[in-house]
Amino acid sequence: MHFLGARCFVPIIALLQFTLGAALPRRSPYSWFNASEKAVYFVSQLNNTEKIGLVTGSYSSPNLPCVGTIGAIKRLGFKGLCLSDGPSGYARSDGTSVFPSGITTAATWDKSLMYDRAVALGVEFRAKGAHVHLGPSTGPMGRNARGGRNWEGFGPDPYLAGVAINASVLGIQSVGVQACSKHYVGNEQETQRTSTVVSNGIVVEAISSNIDDRTLHELYVWPFANAVQAGTSAVMCAYNRVNGSYSCASSDILNILKDELAFAGYVMSDWYATHSTVDSANAGLDMEMPGNVSIVAGPSYFGTLLLEAINDAFVSEDRLDDMAKRVMTPYFLLGQDEDYPSVDPASGGLFLTYQYGHGSSMPSIYAEVNARDVRADHAKIIREVGAAGTVLLKNVNGTLPLTNETNIGLFGNDVPYPAIGSAFLDIGQQTEGFEMVTLDIGGGSGTARHTSLVTPFKAIQDHVDSLGGRVQPLFDNEKVAEGLFRTIYPTPDACLIFLKAFATEGHDRLSLDLQWNATMAVESTAAMCSNTIVITHGPGVTLMPWADNENVTAILAAHYPGEESGNSIVDILWGDVEPSGRLPYTIPKTASDYGPPIVESVEMETDPNAWQVDFVEGQLIDYRHFDANGIEPLYDFGFGLSYTTFRMEDSLNVNVVGGPLPALADESKGIAPGGLKDLWNTVAVVTVEVTNSGHRSGYAVPQLYISLPQSTTPKGTPLKVLRGFEKIRLKAGETKRVKFELMRRDLSYWGVDEKQWVIPAGCIQFMAGFSSRDLRSKAAVVLLE
Ligand SMILES: *[C@@H]1O[C@H](CO)[C@@H](O)[C@H](O)[C@H]1NC(C)=O
Ligand SMILES: *[C@@H]1O[C@H](CO)[C@@H](O)[C@H](O)[C@H]1NC(C)=O
Ligand SMILES: *[C@@H]1O[C@H](CO)[C@@H](O)[C@H](O)[C@H]1NC(C)=O
Ligand SMILES: *[C@@H]1O[C@H](CO)[C@@H](O)[C@H](O)[C@H]1NC(C)=O
Ligand SMILES: *[C@@H]1O[C@H](CO)[C@@H](O)[C@H](O)[C@H]1NC(C)=O
Ligand SMILES: *[C@@H]1O[C@H](CO)[C@@H](O)[C@H](O)[C@H]1NC(C)=O
Ligand SMILES: *[C@@H]1O[C@H](CO)[C@@H](O)[C@H](O)[C@H]1NC(C)=O
Ligand SMILES: *[C@@H]1O[C@H](CO)[C@@H](O)[C@H](O)[C@H]1NC(C)=O
Ligand SMILES: *[C@@H]1O[C@H](CO)[C@@H](O)[C@H](O)[C@H]1NC(C)=O
């Protein structure tokens, strides 16, 4: 452990004028309280059939062309709700943007870009007439690096994910669109994520994520608390079971949301994640999705079954009223009753020609009409986030930015326009992915169709043309791997090789390797070209066994950058934009270094209860696992290079706001969405000085980690955790003092016995630096009174 020997001191008490517990920015005219009152009145005018229609997808017709629909109640002027995927763009339509994925967004470490991206996403959903954006995602977090959906979310660190989901919920809802934060909770692998029917019709239940209370609070639920505090309208419960109960029927986990976090919106099931009527309704599920739809067969447990359960008093009328009220509250909160756009008919789950293309076996029930083009100028923010989420991992002797190189080799099957067309929907490809296509987004319900896609090929060719240079392409990875460079002459000044890893909902990745003979392709390229620059497109953690190859002079992890992919990478390669991304996860040297394996098979395939995973590592995932087990990563969490360099003086200062602190939050300050208000109050302010020590402007990402004492906390406390970061632009030679505000929760652990957040006694270490393993300045402080 770093700095254990540091001298501990009682800090100077700051008498600073910070606004404590400042009101959340609310762009709607109503508070939750007002909206809930309106919802109560609305529901009081309904009969039970109508209430059931509010809590069951597609119960009343007509269906809207959306992946999920709540029917209209015309006599009261309620036009229904349109729910649409997904977290990186409006799915199943045309005239929409493909945004940078969640993992790309997290890699920016830039709060204002996170917000701006979400506003643009929200604008598109609103213009399409979708009331509910089925995102953002912060589950899975990435306990398993091979998880098929990790790229949709903000990575395995709860603090970073919490900041990102806060900005996202606020951004989406700022334009009046409901955010549905998902998937709650413990949805960490795709394999057996939901129940399956095996031989003799035996139903084998979904995997059960068995998570202890402290880990649940400090890791998996943590970002959901931020989402609730930011005012998320809905939370989607997950496919998996938690401790043996389905997420959507677990009063234990839904009570955390509704009681402890004071969530006043509604809990919606993932699609077909409801498995019971009475148990789910009584546990706290408020809306079943997709409900009673005929196009894709699947049982509905709400609808008429819920009506019967109400009539038989297995579920109370009060509970039904509560469900309906919760569904209507965000609708009023965001003013969706006022002037909401109609749903674009050229979209939605039923408008399948636009998803699967002509010749699909799925019925097209709408005439072909032009979709509303809602992209506006969003290419600009997409390009910016795509570049900002690109992490420079290696740059030998200033290889990048490129300057006078005119003969550019452009290799790899991740360069060209998708040979399969504009959407990555062919689930048949599963984890193998698609061969001749640049990946700017993953697959499954979180994908979006390309109306526009600027490939690396197009952007690089255009750029090199404009410099009067030439591009020598070789896209077939097999040829590159075999070293068949017979068409390449003369040897390029720089060889750019683009490699990729595909990830999709429904399947976990087969390995952490980049795909399509990638390792051999890099080695063959490097053997021919002593200036080999590797660019990866992938869903998060990928192995880089060639990272130390002497001829691999630069490495860029570009994640899934969205439709401006080519422009974003050109901006970085030629230095029009300073690289400023940082890893939101750890890159291991080998797969076995990373952590717990995915459960891929179980002994009794016919035992309904056989799929179990005990989260025995507790909170020790990603960098916490590397720290706890003394494993050297290839590239550590928070790491990323710039074209300039930064220095941090040993200048860290800790100020405790308002005096020594009590261990527990003050309950008398009240409770609001997010839980006890006092947990969100700033209790410490840390500052540190950062200097640009290089010769050009650039972005530093100073990070603050803390270490709670092992001796005064229960077993399982991570050696250090992220608790602050800022992205700042500094000119050459410039120095700035950066400020991190820590809230009470940031300095607490979850006390299982107390059932509260507790600030521990003893010495708390504060460590600032440029990554989780590059800590430059520290202080040790006692906070308790
Ligand atoms: C919201 O409720 C508060 C408290 O009851 C009340 O003072 C206020 O007038 C209400 N606002 C609206 C817009 O109804
Ligand atoms: C409930 O109200 C609807 C009108 O919205 C009506 O069609 C229906 O018959 C009513 N149901 C009952 C059970 O009264
Ligand atoms: C959420 O974002 C808002 C707006 O940027 C910011 O003021 C607030 O401090 C953030 N809250 C948390 C808990 O990060
Ligand atoms: C799951 O079980 C563990 C171990 O018994 C317990 O600590 C935890 O609180 C349970 N989780 C929930 C949500 O009940
Ligand atoms: C589903 O819809 C059909 C046709 O409208 C209806 O007969 C059936 O009762 C519904 N099932 C449920 C569970 O609501
Ligand atoms: C980088 O530059 C240093 C100093 O000029 C030199 O010694 C070293 O060989 C260079 N490394 C590479 C890989 O070119
Ligand atoms: C680019 O310029 C550098 C420094 O002037 C020189 O060493 C290098 O050979 C040049 N590269 C090319 C491809 O012209
Ligand atoms: C590339 O991978 C394929 C499939 O894994 C394999 O059959 C082939 O031999 C590999 N090519 C080379 C050059 O290693
Ligand atoms: C690096 O490039 C040089 C010059 O092209 C070559 O001789 C050497 O074998 C290459 N090294 C590797 C590891 O491919």
Side-chain angles (χ1 to χ4, degrees):
M1 179 48 209
H2 316 257
F3 309 130
L4 266 189
R7 207 178 107 249
C8 192
F9 59 93
V10 177
I12 299 155
I13 305 310
L15 297 169
L16 307 172
Q17 298 89 26
F18 289 107
T19 325
L20 298 187
L24 285 171
R26 292 260 179 260
R27 282 154 189 86
S28 102
Y30 298 111
S31 68
W32 278 93
F33 176 80
N34 297 118
S36 161
E37 278 192 326
K38 273 197 143 186
V40 168
Y41 177 67
F42 181 86
V43 171
S44 73
Q45 303 171 75
L46 306 179
N47 65 33
N48 277 359
T49 325
E50 290 167 321
K51 290 176 197 169
I52 296 287
L54 285 180
V55 304
T56 311
S58 297
Y59 186 68
S60 29
S61 41
N63 284 336
L64 298 168
C66 308
V67 74
T69 291
I70 290 297
I73 303 177
K74 293 216 174 76
R75 68 186 181 88
L76 295 176
F78 173 62
K79 295 194 186 118
L81 296 177
C82 167
L83 286 57
S84 294
D85 289 312
S88 308
Y90 186 84
R92 304 177 185 84
S93 191
D94 187 52
T96 60
S97 303
V98 176
F99 285 84
S101 297
I103 199 70
T104 314
T105 308
T108 67
W109 295 64
D110 186 324
K111 296 170 197 176
S112 57
L113 284 183
M114 290 169 180
Y115 181 82
D116 293 348
R117 164 187 177 271
V119 172
L121 263 168
V123 165
E124 296 201 6
F125 275 68
R126 183 182 178 104
K128 286 290 188 183
H131 301 83
V132 185
H133 165 95
L134 298 172
S137 171
T138 183
M141 294 191 69
R143 172 182 187 262
N144 307 111
R146 287 200 284 118
R149 299 190 83 170
N150 294 357
W151 59 276
E152 296 183 47
F154 304 117
D157 181 76
Y159 183 87
L160 179 57
V163 169
I165 202 165
N166 172 61
S168 302
V169 167
L170 290 173
I172 292 156
Q173 299 200 158
S174 72
V175 296
V177 174
Q178 299 186 31
C180 174
S181 301
K182 63 190 191 178
H183 306 85
Y184 189 76
V185 63
N187 189 171
E188 293 294 320
Q189 67 172 63
E190 294 300 284
T191 307
Q192 196 66 19
R193 66 174 180 169
T194 190
S195 60
T196 49
V197 179
V198 295
S199 55
N200 301 328
I202 295 170
V203 175
V204 175
E205 306 296 353
I207 191 151
S208 177
S209 298
N210 304 320
I211 315 176
D212 70 83
D213 196 29
R214 183 173 176 208
T215 300
L216 207 52
H217 278 83
E218 293 189 40
L219 184 55
Y220 297 102
V221 172
W222 177 291
F224 283 99
N226 289 69
V228 173
Q229 206 245 359
T232 192
S233 295
V235 170
M236 185 187 290
C237 50
Y239 282 116
N240 56 288
R241 295 181 294 160
V242 178
N243 284 10
S245 300
Y246 275 98
S247 303
C248 299
S250 165
S251 54
D252 288 338
I253 67 159
L254 299 183
N255 285 348
I256 293 178
L257 204 57
K258 291 183 170 180
D259 296 343
E260 196 181 306
L261 300 178
F263 173 56
Y266 56 100
V267 175
M268 165 202 308
S269 74
D270 204 340
W271 269 232
Y272 307 107
T274 309
H275 300 273
S276 60
T277 304
V278 175
D279 287 355
S280 300
N282 287 339
L285 177 66
D286 301 307
M287 178 191 283
E288 183 199 34
M289 276 293 155
N292 201 0
V293 289
S294 53
I295 189 163
V296 189
S300 170
Y301 289 93
F302 278 15
T304 51
L305 296 179
L306 182 58
L307 196 54
E308 283 165 21
I310 303 277
N311 290 338
D312 295 341
F314 292 128
V315 175
S316 70
E317 296 263 354
D318 282 355
R319 175 66 188 120
L320 179 61
D321 286 350
D322 177 50
M323 293 159 79
K325 176 193 78 177
R326 285 172 173 277
V327 170
M328 292 306 295
T329 299
Y331 177 80
F332 291 120
L333 177 75
L334 297 172
Q336 293 188 335
D337 55 329
E338 286 158 22
D339 57 349
Y340 214 76
S342 62
V343 179
D344 183 356
S347 56
L350 302 178
F351 199 73
L352 287 164
T353 53
Y354 279 92
Q355 179 168 13
Y356 293 101
H358 295 283
S360 151
S361 60
M362 305 299 272
S364 167
I365 66 165
Y366 292 92
E368 185 165 323
V369 292
N370 285 335
R372 241 175 250 163
D373 194 329
V374 298
R375 292 172 295 161
D377 64 349
H378 298 160
K380 194 168 161 285
I381 177 77
I382 292 169
R383 179 175 185 162
E384 196 179 348
V385 175
T390 296
V391 186
L392 179 64
L393 295 171
K394 181 177 181 182
N395 193 19
V396 177
N397 287 359
T399 296
L400 295 179
L402 297 171
T403 51
N404 53 350
E405 297 81 354
T406 51
N407 176 4
I408 305 289
L410 192 52
F411 305 153
N413 62 12
D414 180 51
V415 174
Y417 197 87
I420 48 148
S422 56
F424 308 158
L425 284 158
D426 186 352
I427 298 296
Q429 285 288 326
Q430 301 185 0
T431 47
E432 292 299 331
F434 306 93
E435 184 164 6
M436 208 43 85
V437 35
T438 190
L439 288 181
D440 66 321
I441 189 169
S445 68
T447 203
R449 196 179 161 281
H450 292 99
T451 303
S452 161
L453 171 59
V454 180
T455 63
F457 185 38
K458 174 169 171 41
I460 290 171
Q461 177 82 64
D462 287 356
H463 191 77
V464 174
D465 284 351
S466 76
L467 300 175
R470 65 185 293 200
V471 165
Q472 298 198 59
L474 186 56
F475 299 158
D476 183 339
N477 272 25
E478 183 85 31
K479 294 274 185 295
V480 178
E482 287 171 25
L484 291 178
F485 294 111
R486 285 180 293 212
T487 62
I488 305 300
Y489 181 86
T491 304
D493 305 328
C495 297
L496 306 180
I497 176 165
F498 282 76
L499 300 165
K500 62 186 176 183
F502 183 64
T504 181
E505 176 182 5
H507 304 275
D508 295 310
R509 290 159 67 196
L510 295 175
S511 82
L512 291 182
D513 292 320
L514 291 156
Q515 291 164 302
W516 307 102
N517 307 88
T519 297
M520 268 191 82
V522 175
E523 281 162 4
S524 299
T525 302
M528 180 266 300
C529 183
S530 60
N531 189 20
T532 294
I533 296 160
V534 184
I535 298 103
T536 66
H537 282 133
V541 180
T542 56
L543 298 180
M544 301 182 173
W546 31 259
D548 294 332
N549 185 304
E550 57 177 331
N551 295 342
V552 171
T553 48
I555 303 172
L556 286 162
H559 300 111
Y560 290 157
E563 67 179 44
E564 286 287 304
S565 176
N567 285 331
S568 298
I569 202 70
V570 162
D571 288 345
I572 296 287
L573 286 169
W574 275 274
D576 290 334
V577 169
E578 297 300 312
S580 67
R582 301 292 181 263
L583 287 179
Y585 51 80
T586 301
I587 298 184
K589 288 181 176 163
T590 66
S592 59
D593 281 351
Y594 191 78
I598 283 173
V599 177
E600 313 222 42
S601 62
V602 289
E603 246 173 63
M604 283 282 292
E605 292 284 351
T606 52
D607 172 359
N609 210 27
W611 287 83
Q612 300 280 334
V613 51
D614 296 336
F615 285 29
V616 288
E617 74 288 343
Q619 299 183 53
L620 306 182
I621 66 169
D622 200 78
Y623 65 90
R624 301 133 173 253
H625 159 80
F626 285 78
D627 285 352
N629 295 290
I631 303 168
E632 194 64 36
L634 180 61
Y635 297 114
D636 55 314
F637 177 87
F639 174 75
L641 299 169
S642 309
Y643 292 155
T644 182
T645 52
F646 299 100
R647 196 173 63 225
M648 186 181 283
E649 309 302 342
D650 194 359
S651 55
L652 186 142
N653 224 310
V654 180
N655 289 302
V656 178
V657 178
L661 305 168
L664 302 180
D666 180 354
E667 292 187 25
S668 73
K669 289 186 177 152
I671 187 163
L676 292 179
K677 285 185 184 172
D678 197 27
L679 290 172
W680 302 88
N681 282 334
T682 300
V683 295
V685 179
V686 176
T687 63
V688 74
E689 258 177 30
V690 180
T691 301
N692 182 340
S693 50
H695 300 292
R696 43 194 290 161
S697 293
Y699 296 90
V701 184
Q703 299 158 35
L704 178 71
Y705 295 82
I706 68 156
S707 173
L708 298 183
Q710 298 285 326
S711 57
T712 55
T713 55
K715 206 162 152 274
T717 301
L719 287 182
K720 62 173 171 296
V721 293
L722 181 72
R723 284 296 184 261
F725 65 87
E726 291 297 333
K727 184 178 242 181
I728 52 168
R729 189 178 172 87
L730 291 171
K731 295 193 209 89
E734 192 182 2
T735 299
K736 277 186 186 159
R737 188 161 270 276
V738 188
K739 185 171 83 176
F740 309 101
E741 293 187 15
L742 289 94
M743 298 174 294
R744 170 170 277 279
R745 186 185 59 157
D746 295 332
L747 293 162
S748 306
Y749 68 91
W750 176 254
V752 171
D753 297 331
E754 298 89 340
K755 291 238 156 278
Q756 288 213 57
W757 291 96
V758 183
I759 296 182
C763 207
I764 297 178
Q765 316 269 345
F766 294 79
M767 301 162 283
F770 296 120
S771 82
S772 63
R773 296 213 164 201
D774 179 10
L775 301 170
R776 309 276 181 104
S777 184
K778 64 190 189 269
V781 169
V782 173
L783 296 178
L784 284 201
E785 56 190 12

